């Protein structure tokens, strides 16, 4: 099925804001290699089309898929946000985070399409859920030989998991559109919006579980221990420098960790059971014949086209610094803000509460970004995020974290989430708009540079002091936003020149 949209830029930004799957027709140009040949989507089978219950069945499938992912991501989010503080010795926690993104980048090249063709969408999701169990189990007795390989495996399964979810939602949206007559560009944002909303719920659940368990069991620090902790936190924090002497970094006892693992294991089992019993296979909707909803290129062909597009598209090149910085700053929030500020000064059990504020802020403002951009334009929205993020980074450089000022922790997390909402939505929108019909290669470029930012950020997290990390963030933010402004100026100049040429030709 091919969707024709007159106002391409406005429609793309609308779909991305809603978490939509952009599936526009590809029109090859002179310098663009086609990603895939768009074939008309097959009609649903007569028995499915004639069933009066099929509409509600599709909705049920989308709801159950979203619930399964919420359960699964609850375990992953709750565990990932604790890594740098739960396992600070020798940088084990950040090493495990690096392993996750190295695994993700590695598997992106070949694994998703192979697995989907082998077992289909539903069983790809179930298989990847199962393969994430070692990552949760090895949180009990942690070592480089157990946790890092388990983290790498969790990253490897992330690529096919994401592609399977996107394909399932896209195919069911196509079928729902065919049955009900609702335009596909209306159905897709609804399905993806609900799915992403449930996934954001995992940010709240996962962090609440870890904080509630730890704070209810672990004894509070006395005043002497608190004074000892404050001297080396915030901008003064350096990995390995007195970490073992800081009582806030004491690892919870085995009973506490076992309880967290037990709860997360229950959520993981619930996600698998929900998928097995509550979600239909896409073969019901001719999964293998719906190439328009699947990944067009796979393996190293996609990698080649990805870099070819990057070398040819100068506009996309100007987005690379900001995309790389986006991964870097998110890595800082996950690994460094939680360790150097929250855990170091306040305590391990309070990380979850602060990250809940960050997640809720990010989700809420993501829904409001469309309204903001409509009234201010993309450039002003991006400049607003730039100003706010600079202020937050400067605050982190001058503020000494103190548990007697809990409001400051939450305000900083909320403002960071606000900026993230603008960065992510608008950067993804730009990759769609600038893709020249090559959305697959464009999003591959986005994933590549974002993941590299995560890898670099997590890699130096266990080596550099917080002061240096904040200087790096601030410097690269200025570089990234300057590059983005040049991009907008070039696009404006190009449009103005074309308009002048059209007016001259008209005369």
């Amino acid at each position: 099925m091919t969707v024709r949209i007159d106002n391409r830029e406005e429609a793309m930004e609308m779909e991305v804001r809603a978490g939509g799957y952009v599936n526009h027709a590809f029109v090859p140009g002179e310098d663009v290699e086609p990603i895939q040949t768009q074939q008309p989507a097959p009609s649903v089978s007569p028995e499915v089309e004639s069933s009066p219950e099929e509409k509600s069945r599709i909705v049920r499938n989308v709801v159950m898929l979203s619930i399964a992912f919420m359960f699964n991501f609850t375990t992953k989010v709750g565990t990932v946000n604790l890594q740098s503080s739960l396992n600070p010795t020798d940088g084990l926690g950040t090493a495990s985070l690096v392993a996750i993104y190295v695994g993700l980048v590695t598997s992106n090249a070949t694994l998703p399409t192979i697995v989907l063709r082998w077992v289909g969408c539903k069983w790809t999701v179930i298989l990847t859920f199962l393969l994430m169990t070692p990552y949760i189990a090895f949180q009990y007795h942690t070592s480089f030989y157990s946790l890092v390989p388990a983290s790498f495996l969790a990253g490897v399964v992330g690529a096919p998991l994401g592609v399977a979810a996107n394909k399932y939602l896209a195919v069911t949206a196509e079928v729902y559109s065919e049955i009900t007559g609702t335009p596909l560009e209306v159905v897709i944002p609804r399905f993806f919006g609900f799915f992403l909303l449930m996934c954001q719920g995992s940010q709240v659940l996962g962090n609440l579980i870890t904080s509630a368990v730890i704070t209810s069991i672990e004894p509070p620090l006395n005043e002497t221990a608190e004074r000892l902790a404050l001297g080396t936190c915030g901008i003064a924090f350096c990995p390995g420098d007195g970490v073992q002497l800081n009582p806030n970094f004491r690892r919870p006892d085995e009973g506490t960790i076992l309880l967290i693992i037990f709860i997360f294991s229950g959520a993981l089992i619930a996600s698998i059971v929900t998928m097995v019993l509550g979600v239909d296979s896409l073969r019901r909707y001719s999964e293998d014949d719906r190439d328009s909803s699947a990944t067009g290129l796979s393996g190293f062909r996609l990698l080649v086209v990805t870099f070819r597009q990057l070398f040819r598209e100068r506009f996309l090149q100007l987005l690379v610094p900001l995309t790389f910085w986006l991964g870097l700053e998110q890595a800082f929030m996950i690994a460094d803000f939680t360790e150097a500020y929250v855990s170091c000064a306040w305590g391990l059990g309070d990380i979850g509460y602060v990250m809940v504020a960050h997640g809720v802020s990010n989700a809420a403002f993501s829904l409001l970004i469309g309204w903001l951009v409509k009234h201010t334009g993309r450039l002003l929205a991006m400049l607003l995020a730039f100003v706010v993020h600079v202020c937050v980074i400067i605050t982190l450089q001058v503020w000494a974290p103190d548990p007697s000022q809990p409001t400051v922790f939450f305000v900083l997390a909320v403002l960071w989430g606000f900026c993230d909402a603008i960065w992510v939505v608008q950067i993804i929108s730009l990759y769609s708009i600038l893709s020249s019909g090559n959305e697959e290669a464009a999003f591959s470029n986005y994933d590549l540079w974002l993941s590299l930012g995560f890898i670099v950020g997590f890699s130096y997290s266990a080596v550099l002091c917080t002061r240096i990390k904040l200087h790096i963030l601030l410097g690269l933010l200025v570089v990234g936003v300057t590059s983005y402004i040049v991009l907008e100026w070039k696009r404006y100049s190009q449009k103005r020149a074309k308009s002048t040429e059209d007016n001259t030709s008209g005369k």
Side-chain angles (χ1 to χ4, degrees):
M1 176 177 292
T2 298
V3 183
R4 308 300 300 186
I5 299 179
D6 296 330
N7 191 336
R8 175 181 173 82
E9 183 165 332
E10 179 180 349
M12 281 187 173
E13 292 194 18
M14 178 273 292
E15 290 178 10
V16 173
R17 284 196 300 270
Y21 176 91
V22 182
N23 189 24
H24 302 289
F26 170 68
V27 181
E30 295 180 1
D31 298 326
V32 182
E33 179 173 319
I35 293 299
Q36 65 185 60
T37 302
Q38 191 95 354
Q39 299 293 339
S43 300
V44 293
S45 57
E47 61 272 16
V48 171
E49 188 175 15
S50 61
S51 172
E53 299 179 355
E54 196 61 35
K55 175 182 174 181
S56 60
R57 185 171 189 142
I58 292 174
V59 172
R60 186 208 70 191
N61 280 326
V62 172
V63 170
M64 297 303 285
L65 177 77
S66 303
I67 292 174
F69 270 76
M70 183 188 69
F71 283 139
N72 184 267
F73 284 0
T74 293
T75 67
K76 186 174 181 180
V77 167
T79 307
V80 163
N81 287 342
L82 286 178
Q83 282 308 298
S84 61
S85 299
L86 189 64
N87 302 299
T89 306
D90 298 325
L92 174 58
T94 51
S96 70
L97 295 174
V98 171
I100 288 176
Y101 284 92
V102 170
L104 182 63
V105 172
T106 302
S107 67
N108 255 325
T110 56
L111 200 56
T113 302
I114 295 174
V115 176
L116 260 64
R117 289 175 179 171
W118 180 36
V119 296
C121 273
K122 174 180 177 177
W123 290 99
T124 294
V125 173
I126 295 171
L127 179 63
T128 54
F129 282 1
L130 285 170
L131 291 176
M132 290 178 66
T133 54
Y135 180 66
I136 305 301
F138 284 137
Q139 300 297 325
Y140 183 60
H141 284 300
T142 56
S143 70
F144 278 93
Y145 301 105
S146 60
L147 187 57
V148 172
S151 301
F152 179 79
L153 179 61
V156 166
V157 302
L161 179 63
V163 173
N166 287 341
K167 181 176 179 180
Y168 196 97
L169 292 169
V171 169
T172 51
E174 286 184 6
V175 178
Y176 188 91
S177 175
E178 293 169 12
I179 292 175
T180 63
T182 307
L184 184 60
E185 60 266 28
V186 174
V187 179
I188 283 178
R190 290 178 182 174
F191 281 19
F192 274 86
F194 178 77
F195 176 78
L196 292 177
L197 181 64
M198 296 296 285
C199 289
Q200 285 288 352
S202 66
Q203 181 80 255
V204 176
L205 283 176
N207 288 311
L208 281 180
I209 288 171
T210 55
S211 284
V213 171
I214 293 175
T215 55
S216 64
I217 296 178
E218 293 296 307
L221 297 178
N222 56 42
E223 292 184 4
T224 303
E226 285 185 357
R227 287 196 299 271
L228 176 65
L230 293 180
T232 58
C233 298
I235 197 170
F237 181 82
C238 290
D241 185 14
V243 168
Q244 295 181 353
L245 299 177
N246 188 332
N248 277 328
F249 285 117
R250 66 173 183 258
R251 184 176 171 84
D253 61 39
E254 292 186 356
T256 304
I257 295 177
L258 274 176
L259 179 57
I260 293 174
I261 292 175
F262 177 78
I263 295 173
F264 283 165
S265 297
L268 199 56
I269 292 171
S271 69
I272 296 171
V273 172
T274 302
M275 282 298 304
V276 172
L277 301 180
V279 179
D280 292 324
S281 169
L282 274 189
R283 290 189 172 89
R284 177 180 181 83
Y285 307 120
S286 305
E287 171 185 9
D288 296 334
D289 298 327
R290 291 180 178 271
D291 294 332
S292 62
S293 301
T295 302
L297 289 179
S298 62
F300 292 103
R301 286 188 62 211
L302 177 58
L303 196 62
V304 169
V305 175
T306 297
F307 281 104
R308 184 177 297 172
Q309 184 193 55
L310 181 65
F311 291 141
R312 292 181 176 180
E313 298 287 341
R314 294 185 178 180
F315 287 161
L316 286 181
Q317 294 170 10
L318 292 170
L319 265 184
V320 167
L322 197 55
T323 309
F324 177 82
W325 179 85
L326 184 63
L328 212 63
E329 60 90 5
Q330 290 184 17
F332 179 88
M333 172 56 66
I334 295 172
D336 299 305
F337 180 75
T338 56
E339 181 181 23
Y341 288 86
V342 184
S343 182
C344 181
W346 201 4
L348 183 66
D350 295 294
I351 291 177
Y353 297 132
V354 175
M355 293 305 288
V356 164
H358 174 265
V360 171
S361 168
N362 188 273
F365 284 116
S366 292
L367 297 176
L368 297 175
I369 293 305
W371 175 87
L372 176 65
V373 173
K374 180 179 179 181
H375 289 81
T376 66
R378 181 173 53 245
L379 178 59
L380 287 180
M382 295 282 273
L383 291 178
L384 173 63
F386 171 71
V387 171
V388 173
H389 224 138
V390 168
C391 292
V392 172
I393 293 174
I394 292 175
T395 301
L396 291 175
Q397 291 178 326
V398 300
W399 174 64
D402 189 336
S404 65
Q405 302 173 328
T407 304
V408 180
F409 292 95
F410 289 102
V411 169
L412 291 174
V414 167
L415 291 177
W416 202 289
F418 165 76
C419 295
D420 271 353
I422 296 179
W423 296 131
V424 173
V425 171
Q426 296 309 311
I427 290 174
I428 292 179
S429 297
L430 277 169
Y431 272 94
S432 272
I433 293 166
L434 302 174
S435 63
S436 302
N438 275 320
E439 284 91 359
E440 192 172 6
F443 287 123
S444 179
N445 265 302
Y446 170 79
D447 290 337
L448 173 65
W449 295 106
L450 181 72
S451 298
L452 287 176
F454 272 109
I455 292 172
V456 172
F458 287 138
S459 295
Y460 69 50
S461 177
V463 180
L464 301 179
C465 296
T466 305
R467 183 186 305 273
I468 299 175
K469 296 170 190 173
L470 288 173
H471 290 336
I472 293 173
L473 278 184
L474 189 57
L476 289 182
L477 174 58
V478 172
V479 172
V481 171
T482 301
S483 180
Y484 161 73
I485 292 174
V486 172
L487 164 63
E488 292 285 13
W489 177 76
K490 285 183 174 292
R491 292 187 71 233
Y492 172 77
S493 300
Q494 188 182 71
K495 290 180 179 179
R496 187 173 180 180
K498 187 176 185 302
S499 177
T500 303
E501 181 182 344
D502 291 343
N503 290 336
T504 303
S505 299
K507 292 179 181 180

